[in-house]
Amino acid sequence: MKKNIYNILKGTFLVSDDSFKNWRIIIFISVLAIVMIASSHSADEKVHEIARLENEVKEMRSAFVDGRSRLMKLKMESTVVAKMKEKGLAPSVIPPKKIKVKTQN
């Protein structure tokens, strides 16, 4: 048992006559490790991209709500009356009348 541990620590299993099997396994495990690391980096990039897009959506939603509230304020009758008063126009004091059109047969 002690001898096997010393052989592993010395690296004799890599230079012995039947070391080709060992090298194949080592290369296979190394390739798997590289694929795993690349996959992890890809997943991390996707997570960061998702977080960035979520922040962008929140900002756009906030801008939309802000624009909608400003539009509602501009559409209010009191705001329109105040803007028209600056230009010399005032709302009518005479109420509108309905005009009914009768078709002739």
Side-chain angles (χ1 to χ4, degrees):
M1 178 82 172
K2 224 176 191 183
K3 185 178 178 186
N4 289 336
I5 293 175
Y6 283 136
N7 285 338
I8 290 173
L9 291 176
K10 289 180 184 177
T12 56
F13 69 97
L14 296 175
V15 292
S16 65
D17 293 335
D18 60 344
S19 66
F20 182 68
K21 294 185 295 184
N22 297 335
W23 278 108
R24 284 194 313 185
I25 291 174
I26 290 172
I27 290 173
F28 177 71
I29 291 173
S30 300
V31 169
L32 285 180
I34 290 171
V35 168
M36 187 179 80
I37 291 169
S39 174
S40 174
H41 283 297
S42 175
D44 286 344
E45 287 177 6
K46 288 178 184 177
V47 166
H48 288 297
E49 180 71 13
I50 289 170
R52 186 187 63 79
L53 289 174
E54 284 178 353
N55 287 338
E56 190 175 334
V57 166
K58 286 179 185 177
E59 289 175 11
M60 287 184 175
R61 186 173 289 134
S62 173
F64 168 72
V65 169
D66 182 48
R68 185 174 58 182
S69 65
R70 283 189 285 135
L71 176 65
M72 290 176 74
K73 185 177 178 182
L74 287 174
K75 286 175 29 177
M76 289 175 61
E77 185 180 357
S78 59
T79 306
V80 174
V81 168
K83 294 259 185 197
M84 291 299 112
K85 210 174 244 187
E86 293 172 2
K87 296 183 180 185
L89 297 174
S92 177
V93 292
I94 303 169
K97 295 181 183 179
K98 287 186 180 179
I99 301 174
K100 293 185 180 178
V101 177
K102 294 182 182 179
T103 59
Q104 295 178 353
N105 289 337

